[in-house]
Amino acid sequence: MDKRDLIISAALKLFVNNGFHGTATSKIAQEAGVANGTLFQYFKTKDELIIALYIHFKDELVEYVSRNTAENADIKETIKTQVLSSLFWAIDNPTKFRFIQQFHTSPYIGQVEQDILNKQVEPHLALIQKAIKQGIIKPMPADLVYLLITNQVFCFYLFVTSKKLSKAKQHETIETTFEMLWDMIT
Amino acid sequence: MDKRDLIISAALKLFVNNGFHGTATSKIAQEAGVANGTLFQYFKTKDELIIALYIHFKDELVEYVSRNTAENADIKETIKTQVLSSLFWAIDNPTKFRFIQQFHTSPYIGQVEQDILNKQVEPHLALIQKAIKQGIIKPMPADLVYLLITNQVFCFYLFVTSKKLSKAKQHETIETTFEMLWDMIT
DNA sequence: ATATAATGATTGACTAATCAGTCAATACTT
DNA sequence: AAGTATTGACTGATTAGTCAATCATTATAT
């Protein structure tokens, strides 16, 4: 694990526990076991670190989902796989997922270039639009459907983590709630 | 408008724009047009101010919703009225609503006494439980249903504010999406 | 009615602590 | 020996919170 990674995971932990400004860069360096100055070698400013963290973990999630998405399954199966793998990633990486949520509702989200945000959303929007054209999903704005789906994921995540369900029970709940979601939008 | 209210609205504005720790208490006092020390007369610490703000606005929302809820309508009508009035409140008070969301995903949420959180949620949970017993809503954990509903409200809010829809178009979208939500959980 | 006292609200200069970020010195690699 | 990565003491700026002094308001006494 190189110093950059040490800094990233220390920062993740402290930001989620104490908030962005509630975490001093010196505390991050300490937690990472590196010197104060080293942090600024890898990230020019604290803001740059925070934004880099968001892009880093969001990319990790996007990559995980696309790696788990079958190439030529039908649309329902594709969307289902994407929803479920997002959720599994969130359950396995609660701190990273909470960081993303915290970032989304913070003023920092405005500092991320629109290009980067679009690039992560575009493929999903395209898939939804395709499903709407084929008459699978109800005719409605694609970005509303996207919002409904992503919020459902967040919702499942909150539920699954608040109760301490067994893996089997988790899967069962996720399956039923996905079918409910699917019924809603089709 | 007394000083306490001036401080509250100044704090709301700055916290939403700059984050909790990104906002200095001196800036809040300045924005409110009161002296530094006056802020600490009304709120012993900055943390106390932040938490008081959350409870204040959450109460405002809860009160608004319950004021708009008909006494003896049927369950669907009751829940529908609650969802719609939450949403209208959010649209009319975007800064307050964003503050609540920002607070929810921040570490401060852990500092709010469980009693206070429960008191706001309980009546809604009771209503959902009643609907489940009567076989109106599908048999599933009441708190999951509650999560699904509140997240849907957040989702509508994001959609309605991202597009700049006319009031009429807003109502139309909200009506259809509520029916979708209702179909999903019943 | 007027003066005086008492109470409480408000002020802003102040402090000790903390912060992000720098940089000259040091350690490690090639 | 040259180049690169790392260090941590340091700085100027900013922070939350304090407090003695001032101001406003109301109550009491003459």
Side-chain angles (χ1 to χ4, degrees):
Chain A
M1 212 175 184
D2 71 354
K3 308 235 163 180
R4 203 187 129 93
D5 290 335
L6 286 171
I7 292 167
I8 285 178
S9 40
L12 170 67
K13 179 181 162 185
L14 294 176
F15 282 145
V16 169
N17 287 332
N18 312 317
F20 296 126
H21 296 263
T23 304
T25 51
S26 57
K27 295 276 160 57
I28 296 171
Q30 198 181 15
E31 172 84 23
V34 301
N36 240 331
T38 307
L39 190 150
F40 291 95
Q41 202 96 43
Y42 289 97
F43 305 95
K44 274 206 291 285
T45 64
K46 188 183 177 182
D47 277 16
E48 190 180 300
L49 167 64
I50 292 172
I51 291 163
L53 239 65
Y54 170 71
I55 295 170
H56 184 265
F57 294 127
K58 194 72 186 287
D59 274 346
E60 195 180 306
L61 167 59
V62 167
E63 209 227 320
Y64 180 84
V65 170
S66 71
R67 207 174 41 241
N68 281 282
T69 305
E71 287 283 315
N72 25 3
D74 68 8
I75 288 187
K76 179 181 173 181
E77 214 44 54
T78 309
I79 293 179
K80 184 172 176 178
T81 316
Q82 286 176 353
V83 168
L84 298 204
S85 56
S86 299
L87 203 41
F88 292 142
W89 185 86
I91 292 167
D92 288 338
N93 302 279
T95 319
K96 293 176 188 174
F97 191 68
R98 280 170 59 199
F99 179 89
I100 291 174
Q101 294 298 331
Q102 198 168 320
F103 190 92
H104 272 157
T105 55
S106 83
Y108 284 106
I109 188 71
Q111 284 184 49
V112 182
E113 287 168 41
Q114 202 58 44
D115 289 359
I116 293 169
L117 296 176
N118 285 343
K119 209 164 274 174
Q120 293 169 336
V121 174
E122 246 167 33
H124 297 118
L125 280 185
L127 187 65
I128 291 166
Q129 244 137 12
K130 193 173 146 197
I132 293 172
K133 263 192 193 137
Q134 291 186 14
I136 298 169
I137 291 179
K138 282 177 187 159
M140 54 195 303
D143 46 357
L144 176 57
V145 178
Y146 179 71
L147 273 175
L148 287 168
I149 293 173
T150 51
N151 269 278
Q152 200 93 345
V153 169
F154 182 47
C155 196
F156 296 167
Y157 166 82
L158 286 177
F159 179 71
V160 169
T161 50
S162 77
K163 314 275 160 183
K164 299 223 168 120
L165 304 175
S166 66
K167 279 272 166 195
K169 199 87 185 124
Q170 273 180 21
H171 279 241
E172 194 193 310
T173 313
I174 291 169
E175 282 282 336
T176 18
T177 36
F178 176 79
E179 290 303 329
M180 279 170 56
L181 169 65
W182 187 254
D183 286 346
M184 177 171 84
I185 61 177
T186 55
Chain B
M1 211 176 186
D2 72 353
K3 308 239 162 177
R4 204 186 129 93
D5 290 335
L6 286 170
I7 292 167
I8 286 179
S9 39
L12 169 68
K13 178 180 163 186
L14 294 175
F15 283 145
V16 169
N17 287 332
N18 312 316
F20 296 126
H21 295 265
T23 304
T25 51
S26 58
K27 295 278 160 56
I28 296 171
Q30 199 181 15
E31 173 83 23
V34 301
N36 241 329
T38 306
L39 190 149
F40 291 96
Q41 202 96 43
Y42 290 97
F43 306 95
K44 274 206 289 287
T45 63
K46 188 182 177 183
D47 277 16
E48 191 181 299
L49 168 63
I50 293 171
I51 290 162
L53 238 65
Y54 169 72
I55 294 171
H56 184 265
F57 293 127
K58 194 70 186 288
D59 275 347
E60 195 180 307
L61 168 58
V62 167
E63 208 227 320
Y64 179 85
V65 169
S66 72
R67 208 174 39 241
N68 281 282
T69 304
E71 287 284 314
N72 25 3
D74 67 8
I75 288 189
K76 178 180 173 182
E77 215 44 53
T78 308
I79 293 180
K80 184 172 176 177
T81 315
Q82 286 176 351
V83 168
L84 298 204
S85 57
S86 298
L87 202 41
F88 292 142
W89 186 86
I91 292 168
D92 288 337
N93 302 278
T95 319
K96 294 177 187 175
F97 192 68
R98 281 169 60 199
F99 180 89
I100 292 173
Q101 294 299 330
Q102 199 168 319
F103 189 92
H104 272 158
T105 56
S106 83
Y108 285 106
I109 189 72
Q111 286 184 48
V112 182
E113 287 168 42
Q114 203 58 44
D115 289 358
I116 293 169
L117 296 176
N118 285 342
K119 208 164 277 176
Q120 293 169 337
V121 174
E122 246 167 33
H124 298 119
L125 280 185
L127 188 64
I128 292 166
Q129 244 136 14
K130 193 173 147 196
I132 293 172
K133 265 193 193 136
Q134 292 187 12
I136 297 170
I137 291 180
K138 283 177 187 159
M140 54 196 302
D143 47 356
L144 176 56
V145 177
Y146 179 70
L147 272 175
L148 287 169
I149 293 174
T150 50
N151 269 277
Q152 200 93 344
V153 169
F154 182 47
C155 196
F156 296 167
Y157 166 81
L158 286 178
F159 179 71
V160 169
T161 49
S162 77
K163 314 276 161 183
K164 301 223 167 118
L165 303 175
S166 65
K167 279 272 166 194
K169 199 85 184 126
Q170 273 181 21
H171 280 241
E172 193 193 311
T173 313
I174 291 169
E175 282 282 335
T176 19
T177 37
F178 176 79
E179 290 303 329
M180 280 171 55
L181 169 66
W182 187 254
D183 286 347
M184 177 171 84
I185 61 178
T186 54

